[in-house]
Amino acid sequence: MSVEKNTRKLDKGIVRDFSSRMSYASYLQLPTLLSAQQPVSEPEHHDEMLFIIQHQTTELWLKLVLHELRSAAAWLRADDLGSALKGIARVKHIQKTLTEQWSVLATLTPTEYSQFRGFLGNSSGFQSSQYRAVEFVLGNKNRKMLPVFESDPEAHSMLEELLAAPSIYDEFLAYLARQGFDVPAAVLQRDVTKAHEYTPELVPLFKHIYENAAANWGAYEACEELVDLEDNFQLWRFRHLRTVQRTIGMKSGTGGSSGAAFLQKALELTFFPELFAVRTEIGQ
């Protein structure tokens, strides 16, 4: 079908009447979604819309990340490794999108941000319950974070639930044990409300899997997928840090943290330390 006068004709079958049909806007709740951007600066600063949309889209992606990771943990409990890895693969693509988003926020100059930052009060990304939930699901538990969410009963309840639940790493190690791998009993019986810490007794297990990859392909592939997850998460943290540094320098955060210095410490946190430690041992 040719285009005449740079105008495309509509196909006859295209639906036009939505008086009794579900439309794109109604399915996606667009009136609600697109009315959720409410700048608070007075007079309204042009760049506050960027700031709001950046963080709202991040929260939408985090919702999907959390959905996929919780499902992946459930699939591991059911010994369905294939479905779990599919979910993790999707999360990895979302992580790349989240990391690239920082380049959009980085177009906000220090001068521009300073003109509306004061209107944000104490609101801060530190208070993102979904971000904290993702950390908990990945195994970086921290009970001291919970008081931040006491004013939001729903968020507080979700984080309490995830604090008490095995992380995706706990589920993976339990899966390996059920498959006959030699996972130390102490690891399987650990207090899952605490952050997983480096356990040297796990390194020989992963060394065996890596050095016998062909015979243990599922476990080997899962290890590499988890390594990708942590790599991507650290890249996101680093881009966050660098964006904050270029926008506010070393100022304190609006939520009361030390700002960039606090974010720098997050780069020392780890989810799956043995999967990185084993690299030193392979081939020796």
Side-chain angles (χ1 to χ4, degrees):
M1 182 183 296
S2 60
V3 174
E4 298 179 5
K5 297 183 179 180
N6 203 30
T7 302
R8 181 177 56 171
K9 294 180 180 180
L10 294 183
D11 295 341
K12 291 181 179 179
I14 289 179
V15 178
R16 295 168 171 80
D17 181 5
F18 291 95
S19 57
S20 60
R21 295 182 175 94
M22 181 169 60
S23 69
Y24 175 81
S26 60
Y27 173 67
L28 294 178
Q29 297 291 307
L30 290 184
T32 300
L33 182 65
L34 298 179
S35 64
Q37 296 73 46
Q38 300 290 330
V40 297
S41 54
E42 296 180 2
E44 183 179 321
H45 193 282
H46 171 81
D47 295 305
E48 191 181 355
M49 185 64 73
L50 159 64
F51 193 79
I52 292 172
I53 290 176
Q54 170 86 21
H55 289 82
Q56 287 181 340
T57 53
T58 295
E59 289 297 327
L60 286 172
W61 283 124
L62 287 175
K63 183 174 184 177
L64 184 55
V65 166
L66 192 55
H67 173 71
E68 296 294 343
L69 288 178
R70 295 182 81 172
S71 295
W75 281 318
L76 285 171
R77 281 195 298 277
D79 293 333
D80 185 353
L81 183 63
S83 295
L85 293 183
K86 174 66 188 300
I88 291 172
R90 179 173 292 166
V91 170
K92 286 163 52 179
H93 285 285
I94 300 169
Q95 286 178 306
K96 290 179 181 178
T97 297
L98 283 168
T99 300
E100 283 301 312
Q101 277 190 189
W102 288 117
S103 65
V104 182
L105 191 61
T107 64
L108 183 66
T109 68
T111 303
E112 291 163 346
Y113 185 40
S114 68
Q115 291 169 358
F116 68 86
R117 186 176 187 243
F119 290 95
L120 304 181
N122 292 124
S123 62
S124 165
F126 179 80
Q127 299 145 19
S128 168
S129 60
Q130 292 196 126
Y131 173 82
R132 206 61 61 198
V134 170
E135 282 196 326
F136 280 14
V137 171
L138 290 175
N140 188 221
K141 309 283 187 76
N142 188 343
R143 185 180 293 277
K144 293 181 180 179
M145 296 290 184
L146 291 183
V148 175
F149 304 96
E150 286 180 348
S151 61
D152 185 343
E154 185 176 350
H156 191 269
S157 177
M158 173 186 66
L159 290 172
E160 277 193 317
E161 175 192 342
L162 292 176
L163 186 74
S167 71
I168 197 166
Y169 196 38
D170 291 318
E171 297 290 6
F172 176 54
L173 293 170
Y175 165 83
L176 290 179
R178 291 192 299 273
Q179 300 305 307
F181 291 95
D182 187 19
V183 181
V187 171
L188 299 172
Q189 297 164 8
R190 81 177 193 89
D191 181 357
V192 298
T193 66
K194 297 181 180 179
H196 174 82
E197 295 183 75
Y198 173 63
T199 307
E201 292 80 10
L202 281 172
V203 175
L205 162 62
F206 290 123
K207 186 173 187 287
H208 170 75
I209 290 173
Y210 272 87
E211 293 186 338
N212 299 275
N216 303 289
W217 189 259
Y220 170 75
E221 183 181 11
C223 290
E224 285 296 279
E225 290 291 301
L226 292 176
V227 168
D228 286 344
L229 269 186
E230 178 155 344
D231 268 355
N232 289 348
F233 206 99
Q234 291 289 46
L235 286 172
W236 187 92
R237 282 170 166 163
F238 180 74
R239 287 297 300 273
H240 185 191
L241 168 64
R242 296 300 292 177
T243 302
V244 167
Q245 286 177 325
R246 72 179 283 163
T247 307
I248 65 169
M250 299 305 292
K251 293 186 182 73
S252 296
T254 49
S257 75
S258 54
F262 184 75
L263 296 176
Q264 180 74 50
K265 294 176 183 176
L267 293 173
E268 299 176 17
L269 300 174
T270 183
F271 299 119
F272 322 121
E274 299 84 11
L275 292 177
F276 289 87
V278 73
R279 275 129 171 95
T280 305
E281 305 299 322
I282 292 171
Q284 293 188 9

